[in-house]
Amino acid sequence: MTVVDRWKKGGRAIATLMALTVSSWGTVGSFALAEEEPTETSFIRPPAHCPQQVESLAPILLRDLPNYGNRVSQRSRRSERSFAPQSHILRAERLVFDSLDPRGDGLLPTEEELSKNGLESIFFTTLERQYLETEIVMLQHYHWVFLAETQEGWHLAFMYSRLAGLPPSDPPTPPRNSSQGVIAQGVRLWLRDCQAGAIDPVESEGEVDPLE
């Protein structure tokens, strides 16, 4: 056998060995990939259920309303470059009508008028901190939100608000139409997100209490 023949034979042997090695690596690699392939995980939050009954919807709305109202206020200040005193909503809490006579001046609709027009109302208060140039002032507002039900869900029909006295010895101001105010805009945005299932879900049944 000549040198050339031995070289060809050796070359074929080496090529065969490399092919087997590559094949073996490919098989081992495929098994490794199959074993290490992670399970598919979804990081998208599932849609939250938006209650159809106002009694169940209201506590979740009030839970989220300070965040929504503060975002509306911040965007408004940036877009309008307003230098008005800055307010920060600390909390929103439901109230019963006995805590403040809401219709003593006849400006707000009666229960009969609400029922006749298919409206539902939510009565609540917000506590706000207002930053002035030299001091910080605490403000309490009373709000009456009137909701109308449509095929898409609940929508804000109109809203009235009044400023309560802090200290309590000061009488509250008369109700005023606040349908275009910060709180009303926050309510609209929250209702939109609620209908889209984009609100934070209620973690447990005890997290919020339905309105009585």
Side-chain angles (χ1 to χ4, degrees):
M1 180 182 294
T2 64
V3 176
V4 174
D5 293 332
R6 287 199 298 270
W7 181 83
K8 291 181 178 179
K9 184 178 179 180
R12 286 196 295 268
I14 294 174
T16 302
L17 179 61
M18 292 180 63
L20 290 174
T21 303
V22 171
S23 176
S24 176
W25 286 352
T27 303
V28 174
S30 63
F31 281 125
L33 289 176
E35 292 176 356
E36 296 177 0
E37 184 177 356
T39 57
E40 184 177 354
T41 303
S42 175
F43 295 96
I44 300 177
R45 182 180 62 190
H49 172 67
C50 188
Q52 296 181 349
Q53 301 297 323
V54 172
E55 291 78 9
S56 301
L57 179 145
I60 312 174
L61 165 63
L62 299 183
R63 177 199 68 181
D64 299 339
L65 189 55
N67 288 334
Y68 275 76
N70 288 329
R71 289 201 295 268
V72 170
S73 178
Q74 291 170 5
R75 286 197 299 266
S76 176
R77 289 177 59 86
R78 287 196 298 264
S79 62
E80 298 177 1
R81 297 184 179 180
S82 173
F83 296 95
Q86 180 180 2
S87 294
H88 183 78
I89 304 169
L90 301 177
R91 65 174 182 264
E93 298 178 346
R94 62 188 177 93
L95 296 174
V96 294
F97 285 118
D98 293 341
S99 62
L100 180 67
D101 182 9
R103 301 186 175 97
D105 45 26
L107 293 178
L108 302 180
T110 63
E111 293 292 341
E112 292 77 13
E113 292 172 336
L114 291 176
S115 178
K116 181 179 179 180
N117 292 279
L119 298 176
E120 293 282 351
S121 63
I122 303 175
F123 177 39
F124 63 96
T125 182
T126 56
L127 182 64
E128 303 178 18
R129 181 188 293 125
Q130 189 174 84
Y131 299 91
L132 304 179
E133 291 184 359
T134 58
E135 59 180 335
I136 298 176
V137 179
M138 302 297 293
L139 301 175
Q140 184 177 19
H141 288 84
Y142 293 105
H143 308 280
W144 293 266
V145 169
F146 300 92
L147 304 178
E149 189 173 17
T150 66
Q151 294 182 350
E152 293 78 19
W154 293 101
H155 289 267
L156 188 144
F158 55 94
M159 176 176 170
Y160 278 86
S161 302
R162 68 194 306 178
L163 175 63
L166 287 179
S169 57
D170 295 337
T173 62
R176 59 179 178 82
N177 191 315
S178 56
S179 301
Q180 303 303 321
V182 168
I183 297 295
Q185 295 181 52
V187 171
R188 290 190 181 95
L189 291 175
W190 186 90
L191 290 173
R192 181 202 63 185
D193 289 350
C194 185
Q195 292 153 19
I199 61 171
D200 291 332
V202 179
E203 298 297 336
S204 63
E205 294 182 359
E207 183 175 330
V208 292
D209 299 323
L211 291 177
E212 300 177 355

